[in-house]
Amino acid sequence: MQIAIYCRVSTEEQELEQQIQSCIKFCAYKNFDYCVFADVGSGKDMRRLNFLNMLERVRKREFDGIVVFRFDRL
């Protein structure tokens, strides 16, 4: 199963790495292949480049699902 991991922080002072590692651990536990997408920016800003790139690839059915650290990070 191919999974898109999406992580986001609101400010550059926050850490993305904890979110990313938690999602990777989950995918490893489930034996999923994954690709990580991460952004720094407000959740209200829909122009996040990696978010848009991920959505484009999801629409092309390159992934079977999306894993996020918390729903509000999406």
Side-chain angles (χ1 to χ4, degrees):
M1 184 172 274
Q2 186 67 30
I3 296 296
I5 292 175
Y6 183 74
C7 299
R8 178 187 63 79
V9 292
S10 299
T11 67
E12 291 187 20
E13 290 79 31
Q14 294 174 313
E15 296 283 330
L16 269 171
E17 197 58 34
Q18 178 189 2
Q19 290 183 38
I20 293 169
Q21 289 307 313
S22 292
C23 292
I24 288 173
K25 279 184 180 180
F26 175 79
C27 288
Y29 175 76
K30 293 290 195 175
N31 203 29
F32 294 156
D33 294 323
Y34 60 86
C35 183
V36 176
F37 299 87
D39 285 308
V40 175
S42 169
K44 295 175 184 174
D45 183 0
M46 298 305 288
R47 297 170 293 166
R48 291 172 271 142
L49 294 179
N50 288 320
F51 177 73
L52 294 173
N53 182 25
M54 179 193 69
L55 287 181
E56 181 179 324
R57 293 180 64 186
V58 166
R59 285 184 190 109
K60 292 179 182 177
R61 301 192 185 274
E62 292 181 30
F63 300 107
D64 300 302
I66 300 171
V67 169
V68 293
F69 183 72
R70 286 188 354 211
F71 287 120
D72 70 344
R73 299 293 88 195
L74 191 57

